Amino acid sequence: MNIHEHQAKAVLSEFGVAVPRGYPAFSVEEAVKAAQQLGGPVFVVKAQIHAGGRGKGKFEGLGPDAKGGVRVVKSVEEVRAAAEEMFGRVLVTEQTGPKGKQVNRLYIEEGAAIAKEFYLSLLVDRETSRVSVVASTEGGMSIEEVAHNTPDKIATFSVDPATGVWPHHGLMLASSLGLKGDLSKQAGKLLGQLYAAFVATDMSLLEINPLIVTADDQLRVLDAKVSFDDSALFRHKDIAALRDESEEDPKEIEASKYDLSYIALDGEIGCMVNGAGLAMATMDIIKLYGAEPANFLDVGGGATKEKVTAAFKIITADPNVKGILVNIFGGIMRCDIIAEGVVEAVREMGLKVPLVVRLEGTNVELGKKIIAESGLNVVSANDLSDGAEKIVKAVRGAA
Ligand code: GDP
Ligand code: MN
């Protein structure tokens, strides 16, 4: 689960992290009030969307020369004008995709005088089973570019969960950022606070870009992006309450109610599969036959008929889906349950696009029988590539 920048900063400040003062705003009036409370002289008006690259982003309908989603201004009136322009408008950034995201909330912050911008992140490294720290002197801009063009400017080290952060980790961070004296001490303290926040709240990613040194030599978190491990949310009710469903795909929310993993993509073929590996293989082979997946929905192992029905409904409700491929390898999951769920969903919802079903494994004969006797217009497939070929043909033939 992702949260907004202002929420991330509030979480971090509970662990002692120094962040600039600021207030979230859901209307122009609230933005103005926030600015009045801050008092100036410099304000930053920041669009709150679940995507980075806001500073360089472009608002729809404002033309290419208009300012982006992060604006540094010098008066309450300018805060008002920026808020009026940003609220309700769609912001397109490198991370939102071409559709962009509508801005429904802002964060009004006191402005900082920036002397230096760094990059700092903490993330779970599955290979070492540790939290890795990634730091770079090249902050503020796209870290992907830095990693690609000048990888030597990125320092990485990991923290042993058994010991946590030690002073030498702080020194490693300080030296990779070129910080000395008091700033080196500040870096050590900050790292300890960030690590504590990361572990205590079960974050999977904590990215600070930029981490800045201010004109008066203070280390400050200027931007914060935080993702939490969904599997641990049950033990953090306060964190779970930060969820902003308006930032999420409604189909993904519906799927999460049934404990299904649903991922929306840009193509035309809906995929219902069981298991992440089979999902990847199914998408690869659809691409091999020249089409693109519209989504994939993983029903997992041991799903009930109700769950399968819900899954199939979610896929058929997507207007981008021009054909559906059901690809199930029944192990714990039984093919007859899949067949019953599909038949039930089609009875309720109808079926306006071609459907190819490939079943294999436990109770496969019974599953095939249920589909054959249902009278539904289903194309059955013998294996993975046969299924992919048939659905791509059916979709392309219909186009
Ligand atoms: P992002 O574009 O979504 O990553 O949003 P950021 O919060 O990182 O802001 C983008 C850029 O705006 C930062 O890299 C800074 O250069 C600039 N910026 C943000 N806050 C301030 C501020 O308080 N003062 C100044 N001078 N620049 C700021
Ligand atoms: Mn940033």
Side-chain angles (χ1 to χ4, degrees):
M1 183 186 87
N2 298 324
I3 57 172
H4 289 290
E5 172 199 3
H6 75 92
Q7 297 170 322
K9 285 176 171 170
V11 170
L12 293 178
S13 69
E14 281 172 34
F15 290 84
V17 175
V19 297
R21 284 194 306 141
Y23 303 97
F26 293 84
S27 66
V28 173
E29 285 320 309
E30 281 181 20
V32 169
K33 206 174 140 215
Q36 285 163 344
Q37 261 167 303
L38 290 170
V42 181
F43 309 90
V44 190
V45 181
K46 308 186 81 173
Q48 299 294 290
I49 54 171
H50 284 188
R54 297 163 300 168
K56 288 185 184 155
K58 297 285 167 215
F59 278 103
E60 262 176 21
L62 287 189
D65 297 328
K67 296 206 181 92
V70 176
R71 301 187 185 180
V72 181
V73 298
K74 298 216 165 94
S75 70
V76 175
E77 277 321 298
E78 283 176 284
V79 170
R80 179 193 292 279
E84 277 171 354
E85 203 167 85
M86 285 154 100
F87 267 121
R89 213 174 266 282
V90 171
L91 179 59
V92 181
T93 81
E94 263 188 11
Q95 293 182 12
T96 59
K99 276 192 207 143
K101 288 205 161 200
Q102 193 180 43
V103 176
N104 301 317
R105 68 172 92 180
L106 299 176
Y107 190 44
I108 316 298
E109 222 179 34
E110 63 182 359
I114 303 177
K116 278 187 197 125
E117 290 188 306
F118 300 130
Y119 174 92
L120 175 63
S121 67
L122 274 66
L123 51 113
V124 175
D125 180 355
R126 287 168 202 282
E127 234 164 80
T128 57
S129 307
R130 291 177 174 200
V131 173
S132 279
V133 179
V134 180
S136 175
T137 51
E138 309 304 297
M141 56 171 124
S142 145
I143 194 68
E144 291 84 0
E145 238 166 73
V146 179
H148 185 260
N149 299 332
T150 47
D152 51 304
K153 291 197 167 153
I154 296 182
T156 308
F157 59 89
S158 64
V159 177
D160 188 330
T163 61
V165 170
W166 280 54
H168 74 271
H169 292 118
L171 292 175
M172 272 153 82
L173 175 61
S175 89
S176 50
L177 295 179
L179 299 175
K180 296 193 178 74
D182 186 60
L183 277 168
S184 167
K185 273 189 209 153
Q186 289 185 44
K189 188 172 156 204
L190 176 68
L191 183 60
Q193 292 164 336
L194 295 177
Y195 184 82
F198 191 97
V199 173
T201 62
D202 289 304
M203 292 179 187
S204 53
L205 172 73
L206 165 55
E207 187 177 56
I208 297 168
N209 189 22
L211 169 70
I212 62 157
V213 176
T214 62
D216 52 354
D217 283 337
Q218 299 298 309
L219 208 51
R220 284 281 178 277
V221 167
L222 214 62
D223 186 14
K225 177 184 176 181
V226 169
S227 306
F228 297 96
D229 181 348
D230 288 337
S231 306
L233 277 178
F234 74 94
R235 57 183 185 192
H236 303 291
K237 298 278 180 285
D238 51 336
I239 300 283
L242 299 177
R243 184 167 207 156
D244 179 359
E245 292 199 340
S246 73
E247 288 286 330
E248 298 173 23
D249 187 310
K251 293 186 289 298
E252 290 186 12
I253 295 169
E254 181 68 13
S256 71
K257 282 185 198 153
Y258 291 92
D259 202 20
L260 297 158
S261 329
Y262 172 90
I263 306 290
L265 300 161
D266 297 329
E268 67 229 291
I269 295 180
C271 306
M272 189 167 94
V273 298
N274 63 325
L278 193 59
M280 299 303 137
T282 304
M283 292 192 291
D284 279 351
I285 206 148
I286 284 172
K287 287 187 181 208
L288 186 70
Y289 282 100
E292 296 282 332
N295 55 50
F296 75 83
L297 203 154
D298 179 1
V299 296
T304 58
K305 183 184 134 194
E306 286 67 37
K307 205 165 149 175
V308 174
T309 307
F312 202 79
K313 280 184 186 169
I314 290 166
I315 293 179
T316 46
D318 182 348
N320 295 326
V321 169
K322 304 285 182 272
I324 300 171
L325 175 59
V326 173
N327 184 22
I328 299 292
F329 191 87
I332 300 170
M333 189 71 232
R334 286 158 39 194
C335 292
D336 54 317
I337 301 265
I338 294 285
E340 279 178 2
V342 168
V343 170
E344 173 73 28
V346 172
R347 285 229 170 89
E348 277 181 50
M349 305 274 293
L351 185 64
K352 296 179 192 72
V353 296
L355 168 63
V356 173
V357 177
R358 179 258 178 164
L359 296 173
E360 196 57 75
T362 310
N363 289 1
V364 60
E365 293 311 324
L366 185 55
K368 284 183 174 167
K369 187 162 165 259
I370 290 166
I371 285 182
E373 289 174 358
S374 69
L376 298 180
N377 184 17
V378 176
V379 180
S380 71
N382 298 321
D383 57 39
L384 188 51
S385 67
D386 185 40
E389 194 176 2
K390 278 177 173 158
I391 191 62
V392 172
K393 234 181 223 165
V395 168
R396 288 288 144 91

